[in-house]
PDB file of all heavy atoms in Angstrom:
ATOM      1  N   ARG B  43      -7.322  -2.701  -9.051  1.00 86.00           N
ATOM      2  CA  ARG B  43      -6.031  -2.734  -8.333  1.00 86.00           C
ATOM      3  C   ARG B  43      -5.567  -1.382  -7.809  1.00 86.00           C
ATOM      4  O   ARG B  43      -4.492  -1.285  -7.213  1.00 86.00           O
ATOM      5  CB  ARG B  43      -4.940  -3.450  -9.141  1.00 86.00           C
ATOM      6  CG  ARG B  43      -4.356  -2.645 -10.281  1.00 86.00           C
ATOM      7  CD  ARG B  43      -3.198  -3.394 -10.931  1.00 86.00           C
ATOM      8  NE  ARG B  43      -2.600  -2.598 -11.974  1.00 86.00           N
ATOM      9  CZ  ARG B  43      -2.590  -2.959 -13.261  1.00 86.00           C
ATOM     10  NH1 ARG B  43      -3.115  -4.108 -13.631  1.00 86.00           N
ATOM     11  NH2 ARG B  43      -2.036  -2.170 -14.158  1.00 86.00           N
ATOM     12  N   GLN B  44      -6.349  -0.327  -7.996  1.00 87.00           N
ATOM     13  CA  GLN B  44      -5.999   0.983  -7.430  1.00 87.00           C
ATOM     14  C   GLN B  44      -6.146   0.934  -5.920  1.00 87.00           C
ATOM     15  O   GLN B  44      -7.205   0.582  -5.399  1.00 87.00           O
ATOM     16  CB  GLN B  44      -6.942   2.046  -8.008  1.00 87.00           C
ATOM     17  CG  GLN B  44      -6.732   3.419  -7.442  1.00 87.00           C
ATOM     18  CD  GLN B  44      -5.609   4.168  -8.121  1.00 87.00           C
ATOM     19  OE1 GLN B  44      -5.570   4.254  -9.339  1.00 87.00           O
ATOM     20  NE2 GLN B  44      -4.695   4.703  -7.342  1.00 87.00           N
ATOM     21  N   MET B  45      -5.105   1.271  -5.186  1.00 92.00           N
ATOM     22  CA  MET B  45      -5.155   1.325  -3.724  1.00 92.00           C
ATOM     23  C   MET B  45      -5.782   2.655  -3.313  1.00 92.00           C
ATOM     24  O   MET B  45      -5.274   3.723  -3.652  1.00 92.00           O
ATOM     25  CB  MET B  45      -3.745   1.222  -3.138  1.00 92.00           C
ATOM     26  CG  MET B  45      -3.079  -0.113  -3.360  1.00 92.00           C
ATOM     27  SD  MET B  45      -3.773  -1.410  -2.347  1.00 92.00           S
ATOM     28  CE  MET B  45      -3.036  -1.020  -0.775  1.00 92.00           C
ATOM     29  N   ILE B  46      -6.879   2.574  -2.562  1.00 94.00           N
ATOM     30  CA  ILE B  46      -7.629   3.766  -2.172  1.00 94.00           C
ATOM     31  C   ILE B  46      -7.622   3.883  -0.656  1.00 94.00           C
ATOM     32  O   ILE B  46      -7.976   2.936   0.053  1.00 94.00           O
ATOM     33  CB  ILE B  46      -9.087   3.670  -2.673  1.00 94.00           C
ATOM     34  CG1 ILE B  46      -9.117   3.509  -4.197  1.00 94.00           C
ATOM     35  CG2 ILE B  46      -9.905   4.884  -2.242  1.00 94.00           C
ATOM     36  CD1 ILE B  46     -10.450   3.064  -4.744  1.00 94.00           C
ATOM     37  N   LEU B  47      -7.221   5.037  -0.148  1.00 94.00           N
ATOM     38  CA  LEU B  47      -7.213   5.256   1.289  1.00 94.00           C
ATOM     39  C   LEU B  47      -8.641   5.299   1.805  1.00 94.00           C
ATOM     40  O   LEU B  47      -9.474   6.032   1.287  1.00 94.00           O
ATOM     41  CB  LEU B  47      -6.502   6.567   1.631  1.00 94.00           C
ATOM     42  CG  LEU B  47      -6.510   6.933   3.113  1.00 94.00           C
ATOM     43  CD1 LEU B  47      -5.628   5.975   3.892  1.00 94.00           C
ATOM     44  CD2 LEU B  47      -6.045   8.374   3.300  1.00 94.00           C
ATOM     45  N   VAL B  48      -8.913   4.497   2.846  1.00 97.00           N
ATOM     46  CA  VAL B  48     -10.232   4.491   3.475  1.00 97.00           C
ATOM     47  C   VAL B  48     -10.220   5.370   4.720  1.00 97.00           C
ATOM     48  O   VAL B  48     -11.080   6.232   4.899  1.00 97.00           O
ATOM     49  CB  VAL B  48     -10.647   3.047   3.853  1.00 97.00           C
ATOM     50  CG1 VAL B  48     -11.958   3.048   4.624  1.00 97.00           C
ATOM     51  CG2 VAL B  48     -10.754   2.177   2.606  1.00 97.00           C
ATOM     52  N   ILE B  49      -9.216   5.155   5.580  1.00 96.00           N
ATOM     53  CA  ILE B  49      -9.194   5.863   6.848  1.00 96.00           C
ATOM     54  C   ILE B  49      -7.792   5.801   7.437  1.00 96.00           C
ATOM     55  O   ILE B  49      -7.032   4.875   7.150  1.00 96.00           O
ATOM     56  CB  ILE B  49     -10.245   5.260   7.817  1.00 96.00           C
ATOM     57  CG1 ILE B  49     -10.623   6.239   8.929  1.00 96.00           C
ATOM     58  CG2 ILE B  49      -9.793   3.918   8.354  1.00 96.00           C
ATOM     59  CD1 ILE B  49     -11.895   5.842   9.659  1.00 96.00           C
ATOM     60  N   ARG B  50      -7.478   6.796   8.247  1.00 94.00           N
ATOM     61  CA  ARG B  50      -6.133   6.900   8.830  1.00 94.00           C
ATOM     62  C   ARG B  50      -6.265   7.263  10.308  1.00 94.00           C
ATOM     63  O   ARG B  50      -7.158   8.014  10.695  1.00 94.00           O
ATOM     64  CB  ARG B  50      -5.370   7.985   8.073  1.00 94.00           C
ATOM     65  CG  ARG B  50      -4.205   8.593   8.779  1.00 94.00           C
ATOM     66  CD  ARG B  50      -3.596   9.667   7.915  1.00 94.00           C
ATOM     67  NE  ARG B  50      -3.123  10.770   8.717  1.00 94.00           N
ATOM     68  CZ  ARG B  50      -2.164  11.585   8.328  1.00 94.00           C
ATOM     69  NH1 ARG B  50      -1.576  11.416   7.161  1.00 94.00           N
ATOM     70  NH2 ARG B  50      -1.782  12.574   9.099  1.00 94.00           N
ATOM     71  N   GLN B  51      -5.358   6.705  11.119  1.00 94.00           N
ATOM     72  CA  GLN B  51      -5.358   6.958  12.564  1.00 94.00           C
ATOM     73  C   GLN B  51      -3.950   7.293  13.023  1.00 94.00           C
ATOM     74  O   GLN B  51      -3.013   6.546  12.714  1.00 94.00           O
ATOM     75  CB  GLN B  51      -5.849   5.711  13.320  1.00 94.00           C
ATOM     76  CG  GLN B  51      -5.784   5.783  14.828  1.00 94.00           C
ATOM     77  CD  GLN B  51      -6.959   6.534  15.439  1.00 94.00           C
ATOM     78  OE1 GLN B  51      -8.111   6.346  15.031  1.00 94.00           O
ATOM     79  NE2 GLN B  51      -6.692   7.361  16.421  1.00 94.00           N
ATOM     80  N   GLU B  52      -3.789   8.405  13.741  1.00 91.00           N
ATOM     81  CA  GLU B  52      -2.501   8.721  14.353  1.00 91.00           C
ATOM     82  C   GLU B  52      -2.469   8.074  15.734  1.00 91.00           C
ATOM     83  O   GLU B  52      -3.440   8.169  16.491  1.00 91.00           O
ATOM     84  CB  GLU B  52      -2.317  10.240  14.495  1.00 91.00           C
ATOM     85  CG  GLU B  52      -2.096  10.954  13.183  1.00 91.00           C
ATOM     86  CD  GLU B  52      -3.383  11.430  12.516  1.00 91.00           C
ATOM     87  OE1 GLU B  52      -4.473  10.956  12.904  1.00 91.00           O
ATOM     88  OE2 GLU B  52      -3.280  12.262  11.615  1.00 91.00           O
ATOM     89  N   ALA B  53      -1.361   7.443  16.066  1.00 91.00           N
ATOM     90  CA  ALA B  53      -1.284   6.682  17.309  1.00 91.00           C
ATOM     91  C   ALA B  53      -1.429   7.562  18.545  1.00 91.00           C
ATOM     92  O   ALA B  53      -1.898   7.099  19.588  1.00 91.00           O
ATOM     93  CB  ALA B  53       0.022   5.916  17.362  1.00 91.00           C
ATOM     94  N   TYR B  54      -1.027   8.836  18.450  1.00 90.00           N
ATOM     95  CA  TYR B  54      -1.084   9.691  19.629  1.00 90.00           C
ATOM     96  C   TYR B  54      -2.504  10.173  19.927  1.00 90.00           C
ATOM     97  O   TYR B  54      -2.779  10.715  20.995  1.00 90.00           O
ATOM     98  CB  TYR B  54      -0.162  10.898  19.474  1.00 90.00           C
ATOM     99  CG  TYR B  54      -0.578  11.888  18.413  1.00 90.00           C
ATOM    100  CD1 TYR B  54      -1.450  12.939  18.702  1.00 90.00           C
ATOM    101  CD2 TYR B  54      -0.088  11.792  17.116  1.00 90.00           C
ATOM    102  CE1 TYR B  54      -1.834  13.851  17.729  1.00 90.00           C
ATOM    103  CE2 TYR B  54      -0.469  12.699  16.128  1.00 90.00           C
ATOM    104  CZ  TYR B  54      -1.336  13.733  16.445  1.00 90.00           C
ATOM    105  OH  TYR B  54      -1.707  14.639  15.480  1.00 90.00           O
ATOM    106  N   LYS B  55      -3.410   9.978  18.989  1.00 89.00           N
ATOM    107  CA  LYS B  55      -4.795  10.403  19.184  1.00 89.00           C
ATOM    108  C   LYS B  55      -5.599   9.273  19.821  1.00 89.00           C
ATOM    109  O   LYS B  55      -5.637   8.161  19.307  1.00 89.00           O
ATOM    110  CB  LYS B  55      -5.436  10.803  17.858  1.00 89.00           C
ATOM    111  CG  LYS B  55      -4.883  12.079  17.265  1.00 89.00           C
ATOM    112  CD  LYS B  55      -5.668  12.487  16.036  1.00 89.00           C
ATOM    113  CE  LYS B  55      -5.161  13.814  15.485  1.00 89.00           C
ATOM    114  NZ  LYS B  55      -5.900  14.222  14.255  1.00 89.00           N
ATOM    115  N   GLN B  56      -6.248   9.561  20.928  1.00 85.00           N
ATOM    116  CA  GLN B  56      -7.064   8.560  21.598  1.00 85.00           C
ATOM    117  C   GLN B  56      -8.404   8.374  20.905  1.00 85.00           C
ATOM    118  O   GLN B  56      -8.984   7.291  20.938  1.00 85.00           O
ATOM    119  CB  GLN B  56      -7.269   8.928  23.058  1.00 85.00           C
ATOM    120  CG  GLN B  56      -5.979   8.868  23.878  1.00 85.00           C
ATOM    121  CD  GLN B  56      -6.227   9.109  25.350  1.00 85.00           C
ATOM    122  OE1 GLN B  56      -7.241   9.675  25.722  1.00 85.00           O
ATOM    123  NE2 GLN B  56      -5.301   8.675  26.174  1.00 85.00           N
ATOM    124  N   GLN B  57      -8.880   9.433  20.249  1.00 91.00           N
ATOM    125  CA  GLN B  57     -10.180   9.355  19.599  1.00 91.00           C
ATOM    126  C   GLN B  57     -10.090   8.516  18.341  1.00 91.00           C
ATOM    127  O   GLN B  57      -9.195   8.701  17.511  1.00 91.00           O
ATOM    128  CB  GLN B  57     -10.672  10.760  19.262  1.00 91.00           C
ATOM    129  CG  GLN B  57     -12.087  10.802  18.715  1.00 91.00           C
ATOM    130  CD  GLN B  57     -12.604  12.223  18.549  1.00 91.00           C
ATOM    131  OE1 GLN B  57     -11.864  13.185  18.716  1.00 91.00           O
ATOM    132  NE2 GLN B  57     -13.871  12.359  18.211  1.00 91.00           N
TER     133      GLN B  57
END
Side-chain angles (χ1 to χ4, degrees):
Chain B
R43 76 175 183 243
Q44 177 83 51
M45 293 287 283
I46 302 165
L47 177 69
V48 175
I49 201 164
R50 159 182 144 155
Q51 175 81 43
E52 289 90 344
Y54 67 88
K55 291 186 177 179
Q56 293 185 339
Q57 186 173 7

